[in-house]
Amino acid sequence: MTMNVARTGLWMSARQWPHGTAERRDTAQELAELGYDMVWLGGATADLELPAALLESTEHLLVGTGILNIWTEPVDLLADTYGMLEKAHPGRLLLGVGAGHARMVETMTGRRYRRPLTAVVSYLDALDAVGIPESARVLAALGPRMLGLAARRSAGAHPYLVTPEHTRLAREILGPGALLVPEQKVVLEVDADRARTIGRAALSIYLDLPNYTNNLRRLGFTDADLAGGGSDRLVDALIAWGDLDTVRSRLDEHRAAGADQVAVQILTGGHELPREQWRALATGLELRRSAVVGASPAGSP
């Protein structure tokens, strides 16, 4: 692994980002000033237009894609854009790639979704052929076979919608040397009903996707947990809600289980960028202080 990731990153959908050049620049610079070292962009595409904007707006901010869909993102285009960005901003871009979900892929492409593990292997072969190194990519891996592939053919894994128990299991499969960056949803709300309402709204799209529900069943959740928008047990396991100490405790659970970094996705119930919550989280995690005293990115904030 060549990228030295920070212990806490931010995860957000590319659709949330402003379109204007100046606002994108100002947002990226604010995140860097708050002490965040890495941003993961859900729904990024092979033209890497948004990652490029963030990299060009800051000096040190790292950017990851979460994920580039192997069925829709052309390898040749990705090779061209990655090569240009790596030359301009060496070591600051990490390509998260994965197989996506059958229903969405078939709707978007009209192609049959089959043998996703084999398809990912073929895509990684193509990345090898165009010179994108293993150290520059991670896999969106949940199950044991995809995690094993991540350990063999990439820098590591970027699991989404997981618990600290999954992080522990993933670390066992990946081994000690691979990068492990789980995504963690966060609601900075102490009222249980409000927090769970926000959480259920965010989970609704995922609880009908086999990739996620199969993984949740492997972790011990039942059909009853998955029904009706998710049981309280499921919501509380997947959403870290409460005050800053409670949220920090959940992030620490992932780290204790083997995560190198936790990619925090802050939920508010809306679609706007959660700027106020970014600031509160940065303060609660003392990100600026860690940067000022020169704490290693591998150390706890």
Side-chain angles (χ1 to χ4, degrees):
M1 184 181 69
T2 59
M3 179 176 284
N4 192 16
V5 300
R7 294 284 274 175
T8 304
L10 286 177
W11 194 104
M12 64 200 72
S13 170
R15 292 190 299 271
Q16 289 179 279
W17 276 83
H19 296 289
T21 301
E23 192 173 1
R24 282 182 171 182
R25 181 194 62 236
D26 293 346
T27 301
Q29 290 176 353
E30 180 183 9
L31 292 178
E33 290 167 2
L34 286 171
Y36 294 105
D37 293 287
M38 188 162 189
V39 173
W40 290 85
L41 299 171
T45 52
D47 62 13
L48 298 178
E49 185 261 343
L50 181 55
L54 272 62
L55 292 170
E56 291 163 3
S57 298
T58 60
E59 293 184 6
H60 304 293
L61 191 68
L62 308 178
V63 178
T65 61
I67 63 168
L68 294 168
N69 193 309
I70 64 167
W71 306 95
T72 61
E73 302 311 314
V75 168
D76 290 345
L77 174 59
L78 182 59
D80 289 343
T81 53
Y82 170 79
M84 288 187 293
L85 291 178
E86 177 60 19
K87 182 177 180 179
H89 312 284
R92 292 176 57 198
L93 177 63
L94 189 59
L95 302 176
V97 301
H101 305 278
R103 183 191 314 153
M104 297 177 180
V105 167
E106 290 177 355
T107 298
M108 288 188 295
T109 68
R111 298 165 57 191
R112 184 182 176 190
Y113 183 98
R114 60 190 297 270
R115 303 180 68 185
L117 187 70
T118 300
V120 172
V121 170
S122 296
Y123 198 83
L124 295 177
D125 290 342
L127 294 183
D128 289 343
V130 296
I132 296 179
E134 292 184 0
S135 60
R137 65 204 194 205
V138 293
L139 297 188
L142 293 174
R145 291 193 299 166
M146 197 67 79
L147 286 164
L149 180 63
R152 296 191 302 273
R153 298 289 305 276
S154 76
H158 176 43
Y160 187 92
L161 200 71
V162 294
T163 64
E165 173 62 12
H166 183 274
T167 296
R168 183 186 67 78
L169 296 170
R171 176 52 71 196
E172 290 178 359
I173 294 170
L174 289 169
L179 180 66
L180 178 55
V181 184
E183 176 266 356
Q184 175 64 63
K185 292 175 174 55
V186 165
V187 179
L188 292 176
E189 170 59 66
V190 297
D191 180 88
D193 288 340
R194 286 198 294 268
R196 287 172 178 152
T197 296
I198 293 171
R200 283 192 174 91
L203 293 179
S204 61
I205 187 175
Y206 304 114
L207 298 187
D208 197 31
L209 295 174
N211 299 36
Y212 293 125
T213 56
N214 291 341
N215 188 58
L216 292 170
R217 289 187 178 97
R218 282 193 295 266
L219 293 172
F221 295 100
T222 66
D223 289 345
D225 286 312
L226 299 173
S231 66
D232 286 352
R233 180 172 86 106
L234 180 70
V235 173
D236 294 351
L238 294 176
I239 311 290
W241 61 266
D243 60 18
L244 286 165
D245 286 341
T246 301
V247 168
R248 182 169 186 155
S249 177
R250 177 70 64 85
L251 304 186
D252 286 343
E253 286 182 53
H254 279 289
R255 293 168 185 141
D260 297 291
Q261 180 194 105
V262 185
V264 175
Q265 181 179 181
I266 297 179
L267 307 176
T268 64
H271 300 291
E272 70 286 348
L273 290 175
R275 300 175 188 276
E276 180 181 344
Q277 289 82 0
W278 287 342
R279 296 163 189 152
L281 185 66
T283 299
L285 298 180
E286 299 181 320
L287 298 184
R288 281 179 175 167
R289 179 176 181 275
S290 296
V292 169
V293 300
S296 166
S300 180

